[in-house]
Structures are given as structure tokens and as C-alpha cells.
Amino acid sequence: MLLKPYRTRSIDWKPSPVVALATSADNSQVAAAREDGSLEIWLVSPGSVGWHHQLTIHGDSTCRVSSLVWCCVGSKGMSSGRLFSSNIDGSVSEWDLFDLKQKIVLESIGVSIWQMAVAPINKLPVLEEPISQHFGNGYLNDKYEYNDSDDVESYDNEDFSDSEQFHLKLVMEDRRVAIACDDGSVRIYTISVMDKLIYHKSLPRVSGRALSVTWSHDSNRIYSGSSDGLIRCWDADLGHEIFRSTVALGGLGSGSQICIWSLLSLRCGTVVSADSTGSVQFWNGDNGTLLQAHSNHKGDVNALAAAPNHDRVFSAGSDGQVILYKLSKEMLQSGNGESSFEMMKKWVYVGYVRAHTHDVRALTMAVPISCEGSLSDEAKDLQDEKGKKAKRIRSRGKKPLDFSYRKWAHFGVPMLISAGDDAKLFAYSAKEFTRFSPHDICPAPQRVSVQMVLNTWFNQTSFLLVQSSYWLDVLCVCVPDGGSGSYGGLVTTNLVARVKSKASRKIICSAMSNSGELFSYSDHIRLSLFALSRKGQSKWTINKRQLPLDLPSAHSMVFTSDGARLLIAGHDRRIYIVDLETLKLMHTFVPCREEHDTEGSPDEPPITKMYTSSDGQWLAAINCFGDIYIFNLEIQR
């Protein structure tokens, strides 16, 4: 018997825009900060289906992120490094990817922070002894080798075996970070192994707002861009101004009206600026003279990024375009003699790609570190057939860009990532940018959490539990008679109940029992349990039931199939079993790799998804790195 698909328009889906991007220190992960305060971690993959949404951290929705930096500090922690964000309220947060928490490392300085930049590493990394510990998918099976050399465009993984893994350990313990502030100053802090940023110094305050900041490749200079249309070069150690450049000389409009949204410092000494007039300009980083100016954008240019070997620069802006500029080298004959030639370098406009429908806010570079899993012969044949069919369709009209993601996304080959107001993330080939069409990493960003409960106790009525950011909706589903066709038609729904979170706290997870009588949710502070009942034919009532007070907030929850127990994956990395008749705690599981490890405190990553078997005997729990734990609910092991 074939299942019939039905469609409904009752669910409001409004994904939040992406405001910042950052790549991990080992180039294996991409962090995307959204306007609603949440942060997503994506595992970079060359496979067409391999992009994996690894985890989501629900941060403070009132604290908007302005920029992200991901860096290695010391030799502690995983190879991906530590992730920090600057916030519009003037604070700086660190995102704990193990405990899934946002923690403040710098309290608000009283003015907004527009951007921050970490000083490059001056000291060469050294090889660490081979380690036998395995962290995978980021934790248990980590096969990633840290690469700090930007000159390398591809990696050869044949030199590394599964038994011998070499990780590069950074000698440098502390890193400096420069913060561009709304009051016109650039503040410098030190990132240490502690949980706080240490104040170092402030550069002299200038007129206008400091909107962008970057370091020279040797970390000796700091370049800042402000709302007065000036780029200033500072001595990072002495703190005095070396020179300033007026952006209006090479762009459009007057200097006092120009906002410099982004700066990029290249290894060759060139500084790239992006401003509110749509101009991308290349400057001599030693003396501030203008080298070239391009005005190809039709609005503000919001972001810049460079390929690992720094011979390609990408820009993105409010017109939805992502533009490539390439370093061109020509041998020109000098006037000294026929045999005398001079090397001429210039940045040329190559082309653009418009994949986004709205403003592009952020760009970053990433490198795939895992290979796409081998497909079965049947799957390969199906994929080939789909490819041929798509090719026949495309050949009827104008020849478009090549849509084959597998042709350019290979192990170790850099790719550009863009994101913006349309909530989408796209991946592009950094080497063959204009040849291949970008790959849509997340076609349906921030999918609404929906649970369908069939044949409930209420006259076999079917319910739909819809989790929004700040409330839960229980909808009654009315399925029409679809007849004998393959498509069922449009489903109508009626609102049964709406429960809003307390103090407008963001809801993290929710669940409903198979009977439809009980449903629960958790925000970042506490759990809530509700009982749904019906009086007469149309009146629904909701009663709150008291769960044990010592239960922590949850990352995930699920009811057993008989609705007798509620399973809660707490933020403390334990799994709690609550008896719903007595509302008392029955048992606590501690996820572990070995059974004898259950006695100590939990040291595994948090559980983010749980599933129970239909007979209520088994529980499958999945942590934020994809590792699966199986528990027997009968013998509680």
C-alpha cells in the first residue's frame, strides 16, 4: 500500500537571516550565526549529500552577533579551535561546542562592537606526537589534520594512516584580538586559555564609528575602517597612527558619507576595502596609496574573503552578487633597454554569481576534509540517470553554468561559502568560480520542528505539534478524502491550543505523547509539562503538571510509546526518566562508551536527539557529534 502525500499551509516558516560566518582552525567546519541568536555548525564535505548540520546552539536572542572569529589558542581543546562572537550590545561571547553553551568572556563595554579580528600566527606550528585518542565527526573518530599554512590548496591524505595521526600543535599560547567599536576606537584584548578576554590597550579614538578591522600578515600593523570614509594604519605595538587613506579618491560619493564595512589584508602587503558605495579597492599596505578601484556592486559591499593562496579576492553585497577579482601578472618592457622587462601586477574583475535573493552578509573559505561515502551500484545508476535527465532538460534552452557539484568539490580543494538575509548558505568553487553553479548547502534552513500524532484518545483525532521559537501550537488535522489518486490533496487544520514560553524564552525542544494527552517543552532554563483535555465537543483545556524541580533544561525529549514515561536529555549530559503517573524521577542514564564508565560524572558530548522503539523497550540516543548510544529501558542499562 502506497502512502499518499498531503499538503498543509498552516505552519508559519520564517528562517532567520545569517549575519556572520567563520571557518574552524582546521578548515573542517563552518559556523553560521543567525539573527535570532542561534549558531549552527556545518561539517564541510565534498560530497553532494555530505554537508552535515552538526549541531545548533541556541544563544541569547536579545544579543545580536556582529562578527565571528574561530582560532586556536594554546594546545588545549579540539583541533577546530575556539569560537568567539562580538555582539551589538558590546559584549564578546565564546561558544562552547562541547556543552552547547554561549558564555560571556567580555562583559559589555558600553558601545556596540561592529567587528573583531584575530592576529595571525607568527610562529610556525610543530608536529605533535601521534595520538591514539579518537575524536570523530568532531569527537570520536576525528581524522582531521590541522593545517595552518594558507599556501596549500590541496592536501594529500595518503601520507596519513588510521593508526598514526599527526596533529599540528601551535606553539603560541595567547592570541591578540582587535575590536572595532562604535565610539571610534579600536580596543585590543588578549585571548588566553582562561574564560575571559584580557584588556591590552586601546588605539586613539577617531571621528565616526570604527566599522571594520584587520591585521597585517606579520601582526605588526592594524588597519581600521570607519564611517568617515578613512582607512587608518596603526602600529600594533606602539599604538600610533602610521598613515590614513581616503576611500572617496577611488570610489563614488564623498568621504564623509562612506562607510567602510570590511577590510582584508593579503600576504603580499595589499589591503582590500569594501564600502557603502559599492566599491572594492586595493591599497598598498605599506604607504596607503591606491592601486586599483572596482565599482561593480550596485549597493553596499558587506563582506570580503580571499582564497588560501591570496591570488583571488571575493566580495559580496546588498545586491546579492558575489564577485571574483583575480591577481594578474604581466611582463612589460621597461624603458631601460630591449632586454629589460618589469613585472606588472594588477587585480582584474573576473565575473560574478548571483545565487542569493537578498543581501549577502558574510563570506568565508573552507576546505573539505572527508570524502563522500561510497554509493551502491543501484544508487550510482539512479544518480547517473537523474544526471542524464537533468542534462537533457537543460540542453533545451540556453546553456547555463555547470550544476555538477561533484566535479569541483574535492577533498582538500578550497571552497567559498556565502550567507545572507535569505537565510541560505551556498558553496562555490574557489578555483573555477564562474564555471560551476554554487551548491545550496541547506535548501530548507531552520526547518520547523513538527510532530505528527495519529489516532489520539480524542475520538481518533490526529494532532500536529508545531514548535515555534516562543510558543507551541497543537493543531487538529482534518484529512480530506483523497479518492483513488496518488496525491491526497490539501489538509486543513484547526488550532486546538497555543502555549507561550515564559518570559519569551526561546524553546529548544518539545514532544507529544502518542495519546495526544500530554505534551512538553524545554527552554534554556526549565522544563514544562502540560495535559490536554476536552470538555464537550469544542472546548479544550490545558493544565500544567509539575515535574521534579531538580530536573535540568533539556536538549531533547521523547515520550515512550505507551505514554507512561518522559525521557529527558538534560544539558548536564545525563538522560532522565520520569514516571508520568507519579511525576517522580525513576532512573538516570549516563551516556558512556564503556559500561563501567557509568559510575563517574558524564564526560560525553550532550545528547541532542532520542528515539524509542515501538515496544517501549529500547532507547537510541544521539549526541551532537553523531555518536549513538543504545539503552534498555526494561533493565535500565
Side-chain angles (χ1 to χ4, degrees), residues 330-521:
E330 297 180 4
M331 296 296 295
L332 300 178
Q333 186 174 355
S334 64
N336 297 332
E338 294 183 359
S339 60
S340 177
F341 292 89
E342 182 181 358
M343 176 71 72
M344 175 67 71
K345 297 180 181 180
K346 63 178 181 179
W347 291 90
V348 297
Y349 167 83
V350 176
Y352 74 92
V353 174
R354 183 185 280 112
H356 292 273
T357 58
H358 294 73
D359 297 24
V360 183
R361 294 290 181 187
L363 295 173
T364 190
M365 298 295 300
V367 179
I369 45 71
S370 62
C371 297
E372 185 175 15
S374 59
L375 299 173
S376 63
D377 294 337
E378 183 179 354
K380 288 180 180 178
D381 293 340
L382 180 61
Q383 198 171 55
D384 292 340
E385 182 62 29
K386 288 182 178 179
K388 292 177 182 178
K389 184 177 180 181
K391 192 172 183 179
R392 288 196 298 270
I393 294 173
R394 292 198 300 268
S395 63
R396 296 173 187 170
K398 183 180 178 181
K399 185 178 179 182
L401 295 173
D402 195 328
F403 279 80
S404 179
Y405 177 69
R406 290 185 298 167
K407 287 186 177 180
W408 63 264
H410 302 294
F411 175 85
V413 177
M415 61 176 65
L416 175 73
I417 314 297
S418 68
D421 285 354
D422 59 1
K424 293 291 200 74
L425 284 87
F426 287 96
Y428 312 74
S429 170
K431 283 187 174 181
E432 299 172 287
F433 176 73
T434 56
R435 179 182 174 187
F436 296 105
S437 179
H439 173 63
D440 191 349
I441 297 171
C442 55
Q446 288 191 312
R447 296 180 183 179
V448 179
S449 178
V450 176
Q451 181 184 348
M452 185 75 176
V453 180
L454 301 173
N455 304 324
T456 65
W457 286 1
F458 304 102
N459 297 327
Q460 301 296 302
T461 302
S462 296
F463 284 158
L464 204 61
L465 181 68
V466 182
Q467 175 186 316
S468 299
S469 296
Y470 305 105
W471 64 80
L472 291 179
D473 282 342
V474 179
L475 304 177
C476 177
V477 181
C478 303
V479 181
D481 184 8
S484 58
S486 60
Y487 177 64
L490 185 64
V491 171
T492 59
T493 60
N494 297 316
L495 182 63
V496 172
R498 170 171 288 186
V499 176
K500 296 183 179 181
S501 61
K502 188 174 182 179
S504 297
R505 294 194 291 259
K506 191 171 184 179
I507 296 175
I508 297 174
C509 60
S510 60
M512 191 174 208
S513 63
N514 288 338
S515 65
E517 184 184 14
L518 297 172
F519 63 95
S520 180
Y521 79 86

Side-chain angles (χ1 to χ4, degrees), residues 26-28 43-46 143-144 155 367-371 411-412:
D26 59 1
N27 293 320
S28 66
L43 184 67
V44 183
S45 172
K143 302 290 179 69
Y144 315 151
Y155 313 133
V367 179
I369 45 71
S370 62
C371 297
F411 175 85

